[in-house]
Amino acid sequence: LSAVWALASYKNTLREWALGSGRWWNWEACRHFFSISAVMLATGLASMAALMSVRARIIHGQGLAEVGQFDAAWGISMTQASLVLASLQTHYLPRLARLRGNALATGERGAQIARVVMLAAPVAAAAIVALALAKPAVLTLLYSGAFRPAARYLRWTLLGDYFKVAGWILSIPMLAASEIRMFL
């Protein structure tokens, strides 16, 4: 109900978005959608294959208990990074997408990227440091005391999160500008 109330003043804009150009099919829009979707699918599959490969190596080398600890660390790491990135993306991607067709927007795009870096880097670093300092307590709270040895994996996944945030900040402008080859 609160969303309906908040969006009531944007009724005409929402109708325009839903109906589009009035045509029910547009080949150019379809091609564009599938080019972006295919790249997102390919990168998603590559990341899942890499994760499955790491899990397989841990299982073969150290067993199921160890891969469970890795998965606990990975889950915590992915959740905290997703929270930081999803909160930023709600403003960042639409803002950059609006600048896409504007020839004068290159400087503004760079300024927007710099603002997000200046905001996201300290937030991500603070979240990572807080989790790194409290990792045994966090593992016990979210899982159990039996998962405390997962702290050694969590240290490395948290370090990777910092690079994940930086990579995300640089990849979103590529998606916003439809630079699919560069993104891939």
Side-chain angles (χ1 to χ4, degrees), residues 50-90:
L51 179 60
M52 295 302 289
S53 173
V54 169
R55 284 181 177 148
R57 287 185 56 115
I58 294 171
I59 287 172
H60 291 300
Q62 297 168 322
L64 288 174
E66 202 71 23
V67 85
Q69 292 175 4
F70 171 77
D71 280 342
W74 186 263
I76 292 170
S77 173
M78 288 300 293
T79 301
Q80 76 85 23
S82 296
L83 287 173
V84 170
L85 297 178
S87 63
L88 287 171
Q89 185 170 341
T90 57

Side-chain angles (χ1 to χ4, degrees), residues 13 29 38 43 49 73-74 76 99 110 113 125 151-152 155-157 167 172 175 178-180:
T13 303
T43 58
W74 186 263
I76 292 170
L99 299 173
I113 294 168
R152 70 179 174 274
R155 170 184 36 196
W156 292 107
T157 59
I172 290 298
L175 284 176
S178 295
E179 294 289 340
I180 302 305

Side-chain angles (χ1 to χ4, degrees), residues 124 128 156-170:
I128 290 167
W156 292 107
T157 59
L158 290 174
L159 178 63
D161 285 349
Y162 195 77
F163 294 109
K164 187 184 318 172
V165 169
W168 176 87
I169 290 169
L170 298 175

